[in-house]
Amino acid sequence: MYSPYASLLADIPVVRETVVVAGVETAYWVYGDDDAPTIVAVHGFRGEHHGLEPVVAYLPDYRIIMPDLPGFGETGPIPGREHNLQAYVDWLNEFGAAVAPGAIILGHSFGSIVTSAAVAGGLKTPRLILVNPIGAPALAGPRGIMTRLAVFYYWVGARLPKPIGDALLRSKLIVRVMSNTMVKTKDKTLRAFVHDQHDQYFSRFADRDVLHDAFVTSVSHDVSQVATQLTVPTLLIAAEKDDITPVEAERVLAQRIPNATLVEIPNVGHLIHYETPKQAAAAIDEFLTGL
């Protein structure tokens, strides 16, 4: 599938590395030059590092480190632990200390929950960047009914006989429904790219137990729970048409974070990283200028 961002990415050097943290061999990718300012970027639920590459494409002057979260992509599950928020926070703390101590931290969607909780808990960073932050309880969002259906879907998938449950959770039809629900662009080429990305990467989870744990975590927590503890300068990149956290809730969140900057991108929903990465990257670059 043609990527609108392939030519830009081709100019950015990238290497794949691994490191064992929290008991799991974590795969991560390093984009850019070693002497550039470093950002550690954490992807969203059911995704993996590829999802944030369009944003990377517009940030050639930064060194961006993107791991696959435990249980997703090429990183296995954390052994012997429920994949709850604390498990992901512990993993991120260890990953940051091992690979890029003191780096700028970025989180998209579910990654915003993990990164904000880690920074609120003491992860050292000069700046925090949250793209499509989960700024309020997901069940209270504009598509609360859809979220409740998703809760039922993941609950059923975790309890059916394993082969049936696994097939349901990896269903291409369900993935396409999810993709169509989130995408807002009318550009046919870009829509096709978004759907292809979800087809390729949305089912690269380790097993249904990890997926269910991560989903429960995603709907049980949000950034507002730690907002007042985020004392570092924080950039919120919000979407005008986000179906998970309405932009009005993001404005409230920005008021609760002591040192927050809010950037609102029009005509896009929960897929800023796919549909408007250039605008997101411009906001990030402006926020980090002079750091």
Side-chain angles (χ1 to χ4, degrees), residues 162-238:
K162 191 177 187 307
I164 300 173
D166 195 65
L168 175 65
L169 292 169
R170 299 181 195 272
S171 166
K172 292 183 178 180
L173 175 61
I174 298 296
V175 169
R176 182 54 58 89
V177 169
M178 293 178 186
S179 190
N180 273 315
T181 299
M182 291 187 289
V183 71
K184 302 300 180 188
T185 181
K186 302 299 182 184
D187 184 301
K188 291 182 179 180
T189 300
L190 185 53
R191 286 181 72 92
F193 168 72
V194 171
H195 293 327
D196 181 68
Q197 288 282 293
H198 287 147
D199 288 345
Q200 286 193 67
Y201 304 122
F202 226 47
S203 295
R204 296 188 66 198
F205 52 87
D207 57 57
R208 63 179 185 170
D209 294 328
V210 168
L211 185 66
H212 181 259
D213 285 354
F215 176 75
V216 170
T217 299
S218 74
V219 297
S220 302
H221 299 275
D222 62 83
V223 180
S224 71
Q225 294 169 332
V226 296
T228 58
Q229 300 165 256
L230 298 175
T231 56
V232 300
T234 301
L235 172 64
L236 308 177
I237 304 179

Side-chain angles (χ1 to χ4, degrees), residues 20 93 147 176 212 255 275:
V20 177
N93 280 323
T147 304
R176 182 54 58 89
H212 181 259
Q255 293 296 318
E275 296 184 57

Side-chain angles (χ1 to χ4, degrees), residues 2-160:
Y2 165 77
S3 167
Y5 315 110
S7 61
L8 292 172
L9 280 169
D11 292 333
I12 299 175
V14 57
V15 293
R16 180 189 183 278
E17 304 283 358
T18 61
V19 62
V20 177
V21 291
V24 60
E25 183 174 298
T26 297
Y28 66 97
W29 287 256
V30 183
Y31 300 79
D33 297 325
D34 289 343
D35 57 352
T38 299
I39 301 172
V40 171
V42 181
H43 63 77
F45 175 67
R46 279 194 76 145
E48 38 111 283
H49 74 282
H50 282 100
L52 289 170
E53 282 190 333
V55 179
V56 172
Y58 290 101
L59 292 171
D61 296 328
Y62 294 85
R63 175 175 178 254
I64 301 180
I65 298 174
M66 299 204 299
D68 283 346
L69 280 167
F72 295 91
E74 297 182 29
T75 300
I78 301 172
R81 290 195 68 172
E82 178 185 351
H83 285 65
N84 55 23
L85 181 57
Q86 191 59 55
Y88 283 113
V89 166
D90 291 344
W91 165 84
L92 180 57
N93 280 323
E94 289 193 34
F95 179 80
V99 173
I104 300 153
I105 302 295
L106 182 152
H108 170 257
S109 188
F110 177 63
S112 75
I113 297 174
V114 176
T115 56
S116 62
V119 172
L123 176 62
K124 299 299 182 184
T125 181
R127 297 285 192 277
L128 175 63
I129 301 164
L130 305 178
V131 182
N132 284 126
I134 308 299
L139 292 172
R143 293 208 176 188
I145 293 176
M146 290 292 290
T147 304
R148 286 174 172 80
L149 287 174
V151 170
F152 180 70
Y153 165 70
Y154 287 106
W155 180 85
V156 169
R159 283 160 178 77
L160 285 170

Side-chain angles (χ1 to χ4, degrees), residues 245-259:
T245 302
V247 71
E248 293 81 7
E250 304 287 28
R251 293 167 186 162
V252 172
L253 176 65
Q255 293 296 318
R256 296 189 59 203
I257 296 173
N259 190 0

